[in-house]
Each structure stands twice: as C-alpha cells, then as structure tokens.
Amino acid sequence: MALRDILRYPDPRLRKTAQPVLRVDDAVRGLIRDMAETMYGARGIGLAATQIDVAQRVVVIDISPEHKALRTFVNPVIVRSEGTYEVEEGCLSVPGIYEEVERAQKIEVHALDADGRPFELVAEDLLAVCIQHEIDHLDGKVFVDYLSRLKQQRIRKKLEKHQRLAM
Ligand code: NI
C-alpha cells in the first residue's frame, strides 16, 4: 500500500473526466487500497481517483467516526434522486475551505464493489452528499464550482498563496 499525493485546486488535472473501469482486477484493488490509505491519512471522509490523478471511476467513502466502514464504489451511477439537503462541504483537494452546497437529500446509486460485484444503495443526508461530491470529481467537477464567482476567486487566491508559502 502507498500514500498518494492529492491534487490541490485549482490544478487542471482535477478537470479530467474519469473513464469507466472495465474489470475490477488486482490493479484496481491495489488502487482502492491506496485510495483508502490516502483518505484515512488525510483525515477525509471520501476520495475520488481523480484526486490522485488516476482517471478511473473509483470512489472510496467512510463517514463512520471510527473509520471502520469503508465503502467502495466502482463506476457509480446515480439512478434516482430526491429532495434537497445542504451541509458545509470540504474537500481534500481544497484544504481549509468549507461551504454549503445544495445537493439531493436522498439518492439511489448503482455501482460495483471492490470484488466487482454490482450493488444498489439508497443513501440519505451526509452519505448522499458525499457520494454526489465524489461522483462530481469523476466528472471533473469540484464543489467550489457551485459557489459564486467572487467566492471562487477568493478561494483560488487563498490556495495559490498557500502553495507559494509551502516549503
Ligand atoms: Ni472532494
């Protein structure tokens, strides 16, 4: 297993559209393990492969306080969504920024697990938000995109300044 570097907004590689996984093989399972380790290491609750510069449709999520309920979504597709829900979202690619974004409150998602088996999940509230946030990453979108242009400019400036100061 290995920790991977997480891309930081506004890195243009976060804009790539990820491709579907054709077969969940050992290489994909290795990627999933690295992603989980990277997510836990960074104290995140979700990570998309896009964020470590891998253009494949793979997401890991663990919203449990004990970090013992890892969920893997390969080729996730939201087939149904309803209601609206907002929480302050953060992102490992946008460190230190938390903003509310309007999302669906309840979704049904279809995906493959780490063994390549299809499953269906109905998720609500935080888990639903997290899945929507991570699938956005696979489509080259970042939660910042939903904010006003002014807020986006402020966030970009702040993060670019931090990068200049990083030694
Ligand atoms: Ni994110």
Side-chain angles (χ1 to χ4, degrees), residues 46 51 90-93 133-134 137 142-143:
Q51 293 176 274
C91 179
L92 292 175
S93 294
H133 176 120
E134 303 309 335
H137 277 304
V142 182
F143 83 103

